[in-house]
Amino acid sequence: MNEYKTLLKNAQTEYVIQKSRFIGHAVPVATADEALAFLDGIKKEHRSASHNCFAYIIGQNKGVIRYSDDGEPSGTAGKPIVEVMMAKEVVNCAVVITRYFGGILLGAGGLVRAYAHSTSLALEAAQVCTMHETGRWCLNIAYPLWDKVQHAFQSLPVMIESIAYTENVQASLLLRESDADSVIEALHQVTDGKLETDKDRELFFYPWGG
């Protein structure tokens, strides 16, 4: 698998219904230990809350899925949270919904809707992004060719990390692995094969948008 969806950043949201406060927390995590540490931090921050219900999904193939109702009626909190996460197809992330009970019972259906809605708000705030397998390429470009290369960049799927003007122009680019061959070929064409390229051996996942 060369891409997956996750969250771009940490986020917190709040939703109030029938005087109950539902505070949504969403965060990208790499491991179950990170997810549990995040949950522990939320529980400490909200010691007086009625419930801290959570779910996390770890692994590009959803190898680890855990969720908890934390005292809410069975199936009314953890399951709705994880179902929204599954619907958004996000992995390597955790969601905690903190509830401060407002004194009015919501009923099972009301709880399911409240936890699902709170999760949707938190995920939206954390911004679902697509992580693509990505490589770093270093380009060595003679100055007479630089204008052609800059023009080509405008129509190619590249992210420019840095540009240094030394004896030649040194450009560091991020390229999705799926685009790399065609992009490098296009750059060789516009420079008549006079472009020097060096690929960093390391491959990593990088957020290229939703």
Side-chain angles (χ1 to χ4, degrees):
M1 182 179 293
N2 60 9
E3 65 179 57
Y4 64 92
K5 290 183 180 180
T6 189
L7 303 181
L8 186 62
K9 60 183 182 179
N10 296 13
Q12 180 176 308
T13 57
E14 184 168 331
Y15 171 59
V16 179
I17 181 171
Q18 299 284 54
K19 298 183 180 181
S20 278
R21 292 173 61 212
F22 292 84
I23 304 171
H25 320 266
V27 63
V29 293
T31 65
D33 285 344
E34 285 186 22
L36 292 171
F38 173 66
L39 171 63
D40 187 56
I42 296 299
K43 285 183 174 180
K44 290 178 180 177
E45 181 182 353
H46 295 278
R47 295 179 190 275
S48 61
S50 308
H51 309 277
N52 285 291
C53 306
F54 72 89
Y56 59 85
I57 303 174
I58 304 297
Q60 294 178 43
N61 294 312
K62 303 181 178 70
V64 177
I65 300 175
R66 299 287 184 273
Y67 56 92
S68 170
D69 296 313
D70 192 36
E72 292 281 33
S74 179
T76 62
K79 188 175 180 181
I81 295 170
V82 81
E83 285 180 345
V84 172
M85 295 171 72
M86 295 285 282
K88 297 287 186 180
E89 300 180 333
V90 291
V91 298
N92 288 4
C93 58
V95 173
V96 182
I97 306 297
T98 298
R99 183 191 182 192
Y100 285 89
F101 181 52
I104 300 174
L105 296 174
L106 300 181
L111 285 173
V112 168
R113 290 188 292 273
Y115 278 103
H117 183 63
S118 297
T119 303
S120 294
L121 292 177
L123 294 180
E124 182 178 356
Q127 298 180 22
V128 174
C129 65
T130 302
M131 304 289 283
H132 293 265
E133 194 172 21
T134 299
R136 180 177 289 105
W137 290 74
C138 298
L139 277 54
N140 185 32
I141 309 153
Y143 279 99
L145 300 173
W146 179 229
D147 285 344
K148 289 183 178 180
V149 172
Q150 280 186 301
H151 182 72
F153 283 164
Q154 296 176 17
S155 60
L156 293 172
V158 304
M159 286 190 181
I160 301 172
E161 271 197 317
S162 64
I163 297 173
Y165 299 95
T166 56
E167 183 177 345
N168 290 320
V169 180
Q170 307 288 330
S172 176
L173 306 181
L174 297 184
L175 301 179
R176 280 177 293 216
E177 190 67 5
S178 58
D179 295 329
D181 288 346
S182 60
V183 169
I184 296 302
E185 175 62 25
L187 292 174
H188 277 297
Q189 288 182 4
V190 301
T191 59
D192 294 323
K194 298 176 182 178
L195 177 72
E196 294 182 21
T197 64
D198 181 31
K199 180 185 177 184
D200 191 315
R201 293 181 180 179
E202 180 185 7
L203 287 177
F204 50 94
F205 283 89
Y206 188 83
W208 287 74

